[in-house]
Amino acid sequence: MLSRKPATAWLNNFSDMLGSYRAVALYNAFSYEWPMDVVLKRLNDRGLSVYVPRVCNGSLLMVHIKGGGEWSLDEKSVLAPNHFKDDTDQLEAVVIPMLAMNEQGYRLGHGSGHYDRWVKRLPSVCKKVGIIHDWQLCSFVADSWDLQYDEVWLVQGAQIKIWRGPEQ
């Protein structure tokens, strides 16, 4: 599990980096993923439209966080709002979790393909962002269905390095 204490300072910076968008999708983290609760709260408090995933009938939906409202565990045992309207059309940026990334920016996920299938429905202007530790970079051959990021924020100690393509 990632420690939340040292991550809080740069997660605030992460919130600032996402603040230029009006509609942002985050994720509710498993214990080994970067926690998004600080970012989610800060963006929501600033009045941005914030979305989180909900798996329903084997498909990933991105649902708007509406003030208050009931939340429950989805099919993947992830906490999500209790409504099922997919608002993908509104998104300008989406932060997508990963286990690892290769040199070309392809994502290694959990193996169920939810994000790989869902991202194809995104508007072309929507930026796909990842966030990882530098030790999560590895070599693997991407499959044809694997998702490629537009930008990845690599955390190296207390610093964030922004990866914007294989030429870097």
Side-chain angles (χ1 to χ4, degrees):
M1 176 162 48
L2 296 171
S3 169
R4 290 180 186 267
K5 188 174 180 184
T8 301
W10 77 259
L11 282 172
N12 287 331
N13 292 335
F14 189 62
S15 302
D16 294 339
M17 294 164 85
L18 288 170
S20 64
Y21 299 103
R22 293 181 311 255
V24 178
L26 301 173
Y27 59 87
N28 286 320
F30 289 116
S31 62
Y32 50 85
E33 293 175 326
W34 278 106
M36 288 288 115
D37 51 341
V38 171
V39 177
L40 192 144
K41 180 174 178 0
R42 283 186 56 134
L43 294 178
N44 202 36
D45 289 349
R46 289 183 187 175
L48 274 71
S49 292
V50 181
Y51 300 79
V52 294
R54 178 171 198 92
V55 177
C56 179
N57 296 324
S59 294
L60 185 72
L61 306 174
M62 207 51 76
V63 295
H64 189 263
I65 297 173
K66 299 183 173 148
E70 297 290 320
W71 289 51
S72 64
L73 297 178
D74 70 4
E75 293 173 14
K76 291 291 202 177
S77 298
V78 176
L79 197 60
N82 272 349
H83 58 92
F84 302 90
K85 182 180 182 289
D86 185 52
D87 288 325
T88 301
D89 297 352
Q90 306 301 315
L91 295 175
E92 295 175 353
V94 58
V95 179
I96 302 170
M98 70 175 113
L99 297 175
M101 182 186 86
N102 72 8
E103 300 82 9
Q104 290 77 39
Y106 285 95
R107 167 187 178 268
L108 184 62
H110 293 94
S112 57
H114 291 301
Y115 275 98
D116 297 313
R117 288 187 302 275
W118 173 79
V119 78
K120 292 175 184 165
R121 299 191 337 243
L122 288 173
S124 60
V125 296
C126 185
K127 182 175 273 195
K128 299 178 297 292
V129 178
I131 182 167
I132 60 171
H133 283 286
D134 54 356
W135 50 263
Q136 288 176 281
L137 292 171
C138 63
S139 292
F140 63 89
V141 176
D143 288 310
S144 60
W145 58 82
D146 285 336
L147 166 65
Q148 187 176 32
Y149 288 98
D150 298 316
E151 186 171 289
V152 176
W153 298 340
L154 295 151
V155 179
Q156 299 172 315
Q159 302 294 316
I160 298 175
K161 178 182 177 187
I162 299 177
W163 178 93
R164 290 192 176 99
E167 65 280 351
Q168 288 192 358

